[in-house]
Amino acid sequence: MSVRAEFSLPLEGRVAAQPTGGVASMAATFRSDAAPERAHPTPARSVPTLPSRGREDAAHAYAAAASVPDPEVPCVTIADLGILRSVEIENGVAVARVTPTYSGCPAVLAIELAVEAALREAGFEARVERVVSPPWTTDWITEEGRERLRAYGIAPPAKASNSVRALFGETDVACPKCGSHETSRVAEFGSTACKALYRCESCKEPFDYFKCI
Amino acid sequence: MTARAKIDQTALVTILLRLADDHLILGHRLSEWCGHAPMLEEDLAMPNMALDLIGQARSLYQYAAEAEGEGRTEDDLAYLRREREYLNCLMVERENGDFAHTMLRQFYFAAFMQAFWDGALESADETVAAIAGKAVKEVAYHLRHAGEWVVRLGDGTEESRRRMEQAVDALAPYVDELFEADAVSDAVAEAGIAPDPASLRKSFERTVGAVFAEAGLETQAVPYGQTGGRRGLHGEAMGYLLTELQYMQRTYPGAVW
Ligand SMILES: [Zn+2]
C-alpha cells in the first residue's frame, strides 16, 4: 500500500468543503477544482492548468466512478456515502481515490474493483488508491444519500459522529417507514458491520439503522 | 509530505505488530463463537466485533509492512510468521472459556484500547492517527456491549454471577501485561506516535471500576502478572490457535481470494 497521506491534503480540503452534495454537485466541485489556487494549495503534482479536453475527461471519469453502487447497500452510490474522494487524470490514467468506511468492512475491496471496472468501462485506463487520512465518518453521507437510505428502509445515521451521545445510541432514531420517533434498539450489531437493528413501537416494523461512526 | 515522526523504524514496526497481533488474535478468538453464541443477537454481535478487530489489524499490518519496507505484505505478517514472532499480549490468545470469560476479556481489552486510541488520535504519525480516528469509535461500541454483559451477568442470577467471578479470577493475572512498558514503547511514546501503555492504567481502572461497581464485582489483585507476549513468549493455547489461523496459507502459500 503506497497510498498514504501523500495526496490527502488537497483532498481533505475538498471533502471538508463539501457540505451536502450528491453526484451532480460533486462533479461541479470537481470542475471548479481546475482553478489552481483552490484545487492544489500544495505544490501541484497534477494538472494545475488542465487543458479543457482533460477537464472534460476528468469530469466524465468522475461521473463514471461516482455512479458505482455500494455492494451491501445498493440504494446508494459511493458518492452518496462520501467514500469517493476524488478522480483525477494523471498522465492519461484516471486515478480514483476512495476511503474505507468501517475498519472491518468486507466491501472495501469489492468497491475498489467496481470503481476500476466502471472507469475502464468508460474508456479510461484506471487506478484506484486507498486514502485513510482523514478517516471517513458517517457525517460524510450526503443529504441525497440519507434520503435514499430512508426510502430504502434504513434509518440514516445520526449526525455529529464525534458526539458520545450519538455514538452511544442515545439518539432519536426515526422509523424510516412511518416516521415515528417511538423506536427501540433490538440489537447493537446487525446484519452488516454498519447496521444496528431497531423496532418501531408505532407501526411495529423492524428496521436497520445505519450506525454512526 | 507524509507526517511520519522521526523514529527508529524497528521500534515503529514492532509497536505496530504488537497492536496488530492483539487485534488479529482476539478477532480470531471471537470469530470462534460464530454459530455457537447463546442467542441470535450475540451470534451477530461477536462476528461483527471480530470483523472490526480484524479490519483494524489489517490497517496496522499494512502500515507495518510498508514501514518495514522489506517487501512483506499484510498476509505475510498475519499468516506466515512463526509463533515466537507474534507479539500479542497473553490475554487475547487465551481460550474463550465460557461466555462470561469471553465478554470480560472483551471488556478489558476494549477499556484498554479506548484509552489507547484516544491517546493516539493526536499521534505525530498521520497513519496511526487515521487508524485511531476510526478505531476509537468502533471500540466505543465494543466497550458498551461488553460492559453491559459484565453488569448483566455480574448482577444477574447466582449462576451467572459465579461464572463472572470465575472469569475475573481467571483473567486477573493477564491484566498487568497490557500496561507493560519497555524500550520500544518508550521510544514510540517519546516520538509522540502512541501513548505510553503505563500511562493508560488510570483511565482503564476508572472504566473497570465504574462497571464493576454496577455489577457488584471486585477486582482481584495478583501477586505477579503473567508476561512475555510482547517478546514472543506465548502460552500453550497459541500454537493451536495459529495452526487453525494459518492453515490455509501454510497449505496453499500465497493463496488469494
Ligand atoms: Zn414505524
Side-chain angles (χ1 to χ4, degrees):
Chain A
M1 240 194 48
S2 62
V3 300
R4 260 167 335 102
E6 198 178 346
F7 308 102
S8 72
L9 289 179
L11 293 174
E12 202 170 334
R14 190 177 309 164
V15 171
Q18 179 73 46
T20 55
V23 175
S25 66
M26 283 285 271
T29 309
F30 180 81
R31 277 194 203 90
S32 71
D33 278 348
E37 69 283 1
R38 279 201 50 204
H40 299 285
T42 46
R45 46 166 292 115
S46 62
V47 292
T49 48
L50 209 57
S52 65
R53 168 91 185 97
R55 259 204 307 272
E56 274 166 34
D57 272 359
H60 181 46
Y62 185 89
S67 66
V68 170
D70 180 87
E72 282 182 342
V73 192
C75 64
V76 286
T77 67
I78 59 170
D80 291 334
L81 290 175
I83 61 187
L84 179 63
R85 305 290 284 278
S86 70
V87 182
E88 291 175 46
I89 307 290
E90 291 176 15
N91 304 320
V93 178
V95 181
R97 298 198 170 88
V98 298
T99 186
T101 52
Y102 301 81
S103 298
C105 181
V108 170
L109 191 60
I111 289 171
E112 290 173 0
L113 292 173
V115 169
E116 200 177 321
L119 287 170
R120 289 190 199 285
E121 182 99 342
F124 295 95
E125 248 191 84
R127 189 169 82 236
V128 176
E129 293 184 354
R130 198 177 292 178
V131 183
V132 298
S133 179
W136 179 84
T137 101
T138 41
D139 288 354
W140 293 3
I141 301 177
T142 64
E143 278 309 316
E144 282 92 337
R146 297 169 64 82
E147 248 342 290
R148 279 184 202 143
L149 285 171
R150 211 187 322 265
Y152 190 69
I154 300 173
K159 282 275 192 177
S161 63
N162 287 330
S163 118
V164 174
R165 279 180 63 83
L167 275 176
F168 272 173
E170 291 162 23
T171 39
D172 177 19
V173 174
C175 170
K177 303 213 166 65
C178 74
S180 166
H181 290 255
E182 299 290 312
T183 58
S184 51
R185 195 180 76 216
V186 178
E188 182 102 80
F189 297 89
S191 54
T192 66
C194 57
K195 287 181 249 151
L197 187 61
Y198 271 67
R199 175 177 54 220
C200 175
E201 302 299 351
S202 301
C203 72
K204 307 294 181 198
E205 284 290 323
F207 64 90
D208 277 330
Y209 168 61
F210 205 105
K211 265 194 315 213
C212 177
I213 70 160
Chain B
M1 274 208 300
T2 302
R4 187 187 282 185
K6 286 189 185 59
I7 182 182
D8 172 18
Q9 282 304 92
T10 319
L12 176 63
V13 172
T14 304
I15 212 79
L16 290 169
L17 286 178
R18 287 178 180 178
L19 277 170
D21 292 344
D22 282 353
H23 287 76
L24 176 71
I25 301 301
L26 186 58
H28 182 83
R29 279 293 185 218
L30 266 187
S31 74
E32 292 174 357
W33 275 97
C34 187
H36 302 278
M39 59 181 76
L40 183 59
E41 284 83 356
E42 284 310 303
D43 217 35
L44 288 173
M46 289 202 275
N48 254 307
M49 290 190 287
L51 209 54
D52 282 344
L53 292 168
I54 290 166
Q56 290 153 6
R58 286 192 63 181
S59 304
L60 292 160
Y61 283 130
Q62 283 163 1
Y63 188 33
E66 187 192 328
E68 183 186 58
E70 286 174 16
R72 290 206 282 185
T73 66
E74 54 175 307
D75 282 352
D76 294 331
L77 294 174
Y79 295 122
L80 295 173
R81 283 179 299 151
R82 291 165 198 278
E83 179 180 329
R84 290 288 295 269
E85 294 169 314
Y86 282 80
L87 304 177
N88 54 280
C89 60
L90 300 174
M91 181 188 285
V92 297
E93 76 194 41
R94 281 179 57 90
E95 279 161 356
N96 282 332
D98 61 13
F99 185 72
H101 179 273
T102 300
M103 274 302 140
L104 184 67
R105 176 178 58 189
Q106 207 58 37
F107 172 65
Y108 282 158
F109 187 72
F112 175 77
M113 284 314 302
Q114 191 183 50
F116 184 92
W117 290 128
D118 203 47
L121 286 174
E122 302 296 318
S123 174
D125 185 298
E126 202 172 59
T127 306
V128 172
I131 295 169
K134 196 161 299 206
V136 78
K137 296 176 187 173
E138 290 163 348
V139 79
Y141 283 106
H142 300 192
L143 183 61
R144 180 170 65 163
H145 181 81
E148 281 174 358
W149 274 113
V150 172
V151 172
R152 196 161 151 191
L153 297 176
D155 190 28
T157 64
E158 213 171 288
E159 173 68 3
S160 74
R161 180 179 184 78
R162 185 181 68 75
R163 300 275 193 121
M164 197 40 96
E165 281 172 347
Q166 264 175 8
V168 173
D169 288 345
L171 285 165
Y174 299 94
V175 172
D176 285 351
E177 193 188 16
L178 294 171
F179 308 100
E180 236 172 47
D182 62 4
V184 172
S185 65
D186 286 350
V188 168
E190 201 146 303
I193 292 175
D196 169 11
S199 72
L200 306 175
R201 183 136 209 166
K202 270 211 175 73
S203 162
F204 174 87
E205 281 173 356
R206 224 178 301 126
T207 309
V208 172
V211 167
F212 273 29
E214 213 177 317
L217 294 166
E218 276 171 35
T219 46
Q220 297 296 332
V222 288
Y224 58 88
Q226 295 289 336
T227 179
R230 301 304 185 199
R231 286 170 288 125
L233 305 173
H234 297 283
E236 188 191 357
M238 185 69 173
Y240 293 98
L241 184 153
L242 289 179
T243 307
E244 187 173 317
L245 176 76
Q246 298 190 334
Y247 173 79
M248 197 61 93
Q249 281 293 329
R250 294 287 185 199
T251 311
Y252 304 99
V256 290
W257 286 107

